[in-house]
Amino acid sequence: MAAMAPFSSASSSHPPRLPSKTLTPRHSRPLHHRSPPAASAPRPLLLSFPAPARRCGAGLRSSAAQKISADYQFDDDGDNDEEYEYDGEEEEEEEEWEVDEDEEEMDVEAMEEEARGAAADLAKRLARELHIDDDVREKRRNIRDKTSVSKHIPDNLLPKVAIIGRPNVGKSALFNRLVGGNRAIVVDEPGVTRDRLYGRSYWGDQEFMVIDTGGVITLSKSQAGVMEELAVTTTVGMDGIPLATREAAIARMPSMIEKQAVAAVDEASIILFVVDGQAGLVAADTEISDWLRRNYSDKCVILAVNKCESPRKGQMQALDFWSLGFSPLPISAITGTGTGDLLDLVCSELKKFEGLDAVEEEKNKVPAIAIVGRPNVGKSSILNALVGEDRTIVSPVSGTTRDAIDTEFITADGEKYKLIDTAGIRRRAAVISAGSTTESLSVKRAFRAIRRSDVVALVIEAMACVTEQDYKIAERIEKEGKACVIVVNKWDTIPNKNHESTTHYEQDVREKLRILDWAPIVYCSATNGSSVEKIISAAALVEKERSRRLGTSILNQVIREAIAFKPPPRTRGGKRGRVYYTTQAAIGPPTFVLFVNDAKLFPDTYRRYMEKKLRSDAGFPGTPIRLLWRSRRRPDKRGHGASLNACHKSALPLGFY
């Protein structure tokens, strides 16, 4: 059995010899130290990484780490929140490591298994704490994705089906029904959906992409009519915008929504034309049908008469729509009536995906980058600048983006990423006071986007700098354990920029976002496309760090030196914490489990010191790391050790209790 001897700060200057059978990690690799890129010229910085913590010695085996003073105090990193009393003349501890090696050995395999269990328990506990209840159909869809044979087919190679129609006919409800999850926001009011929303759908052995679009408004309306039709507000979050700008943005909104719908129809193989069976035939339906016949006569158009819950009444409701020139099919997106026949018709028109063996499968997961922040900080502009097209609607109207918009993006180097544009996240009290169901659902979609992403780009506005709401969002990102890049957008609005002012600005951001002091900062301007590509470069780096695994031997070497340089403090009763063994139990984020004699003997100040030392020696920029402290008794003469913590607060990482 692979085993490892414990070590202690109170031992001699040289660490105790390991047993002959030492655990050799498979993933060990050389340790490199990361340092921020040097500024070559006194111009404003556009990409900034946090400076590494001040090194405690010259290296992993520094001479300073080999000498331990009998009287010491915490004075090297300024993190002393508490004071401890020590005896001036410290005697050698009674628990010397002068026992047989058989007694020293610990069950490493058992500790590795316990560490993995502790990391899994922490992930479940945090999921319950964050109160995100995924939709049941969404969970089933994820299970189906994992077991599906064709799950690795790229989205751009799948045939596409576009859903189009006038506002409030049930397009988003049908989209959710087809993709099998609560992806699109469904509210009983018109104009909720604005951007294109993509999702995979399965029916039998056929797989295809479904595109949800906003309602097409073809009739000329007054400004008041457009406001009512699109549920656009001119008060929430628009106080600083001139009235003329508001009115101009609102007047352009129908054309921008229609432009998104036209783009979806252009790339689709089949068009699902949805009408309202309860409202009957209206002039807008006739105009849309004429537009489809005139411009897309070469594509298959399926007329779906929605809101026909009763099959018998549905046939009667569908009779009115024969005049549109298409064969009407009564369905109900809410109850599912007729959707099976609709999918059969869709699949019969689609050519089955052929050449699957010739397609290079996506064996590696595509990293997802969620773009989050307060309203009107430029999230959609950043997405459009990255993909090089008007993928989402950009407007000064607050709350323009509602759904979480997924977009595949391929860099010049051929690397593929999934970009997720989200709605602006306002303060919870402001959302509740507004009483908008749509905004509440949009915020939930934004939080779900953070959960299903690998990297989060937290966008802040350059002139406003960091606000209280930005800090709240940062707290959420850290708790979710996501890698993060702080994006300072609208950098061109800062006047008289120079190297010194940029340095002061970065210090201000670091001070106000202490919880993300490990995250790199990117300065960009989305409107003119300046430095937006640096967001992807920084995201690629932090995503790799979030998935990096540190070798067990190197990890224990780092912990050993950290303890040698600064031993755990003694309590008033003379007890001192000991670290027996350390292992990395999980990645995404990197989670380390330290097996100690008693977790309560390690105060918060020492835990912060250990995290800083681990970062300074092992790297991990741009990603949170979690340290779990597990109490464990010393092994008995038969070589067995027992865990002391079934479940107590000391087993949680700092900040989670």
Side-chain angles (χ1 to χ4, degrees), residues 6-18 62-69 91-93 95-98 104 560-561 563-565 567 570 576 578:
F7 54 86
S8 169
S9 60
S11 58
S12 60
S13 60
H14 297 283
R17 183 173 61 87
L18 297 177
S62 60
S63 58
Q66 305 297 332
K67 300 178 181 180
I68 307 172
S69 174
E91 299 179 356
E92 292 294 331
E93 295 187 52
E95 298 181 6
E96 290 291 345
W97 303 104
E98 298 176 356
E104 293 283 344
R560 184 182 296 112
E561 180 181 348
I563 294 177
F565 190 85
R570 288 184 186 273
R576 171 180 289 170
R578 296 174 178 272

Side-chain angles (χ1 to χ4, degrees), residues 464-480:
C465 198
V466 179
T467 65
E468 181 181 356
Q469 180 62 12
D470 293 325
Y471 185 82
K472 293 292 185 182
I473 300 174
E475 281 185 325
R476 184 76 180 213
I477 296 171
E478 199 277 338
K479 283 189 176 182
E480 290 281 5

Side-chain angles (χ1 to χ4, degrees), residues 38 53 58 91 106 136 220 270 289 362 368 386 396 414 419 427 482 523 577 595:
E91 299 179 356
M106 304 191 71
V136 174
S220 59
I270 294 179
S289 63
E362 296 177 343
L386 288 172
L419 304 178
R427 293 183 299 109
K482 304 300 181 181
Y523 303 89
F595 291 94

Side-chain angles (χ1 to χ4, degrees), residues 171-320:
K171 298 183 297 299
S172 296
L174 180 59
F175 174 83
N176 288 341
R177 171 67 62 176
L178 296 182
V179 302
N182 193 18
R183 292 283 304 280
I185 297 177
V186 178
V187 179
D188 190 16
E189 62 182 40
V192 173
T193 304
R194 294 173 179 174
D195 300 291
R196 286 171 284 163
L197 191 60
Y198 291 75
R200 289 192 176 214
S201 180
Y202 306 82
W203 188 248
D205 58 349
Q206 184 71 50
E207 183 178 7
F208 53 93
M209 294 292 295
V210 183
I211 312 175
D212 186 22
T213 64
V216 177
I217 303 175
T218 56
L219 299 178
S220 59
K221 294 181 178 292
S222 63
Q223 179 178 330
V226 173
M227 290 280 294
E228 182 180 358
E229 190 78 26
L230 297 177
V232 177
T233 176
T234 57
T235 56
V236 177
M238 299 185 65
D239 297 334
I241 302 176
L243 179 61
T245 305
R246 303 183 200 177
E247 294 178 347
I250 294 168
R252 290 194 305 268
M253 188 69 70
S255 61
M256 290 188 290
I257 295 176
E258 185 174 344
K259 183 179 179 181
Q260 294 290 320
V262 171
V265 173
D266 287 338
E267 62 179 331
S269 303
I270 294 179
I271 302 170
L272 289 182
F273 178 24
V274 183
V275 294
D276 189 345
Q278 293 181 0
L281 182 64
V282 298
D285 297 330
T286 304
E287 291 189 11
I288 295 174
S289 63
D290 293 341
W291 173 70
L292 290 174
R293 280 197 304 270
R294 185 169 57 252
N295 297 284
Y296 302 98
S297 58
D298 57 332
K299 295 188 177 183
C300 174
V301 179
I302 300 176
L303 178 60
V305 184
N306 195 23
K307 303 182 182 180
C308 296
E309 280 71 23
S310 173
R312 181 177 302 178
K313 291 183 179 180
Q315 295 295 333
M316 300 297 296
Q317 292 172 334
L319 292 177
D320 296 339

Side-chain angles (χ1 to χ4, degrees), residues 606-640:
Y606 196 81
R607 297 186 183 198
R608 283 192 289 268
Y609 156 74
M610 191 64 73
E611 179 178 345
K612 286 185 177 181
K613 191 67 168 66
L614 185 60
R615 284 190 181 277
S616 65
D617 286 351
F620 296 104
T623 178
I625 61 176
R626 292 171 177 167
L627 302 183
L628 300 179
W629 302 75
R630 303 284 290 183
S631 299
R632 193 177 183 88
R633 293 193 183 97
R634 285 188 59 195
D636 55 23
K637 293 184 178 181
R638 291 176 295 180
H640 298 290

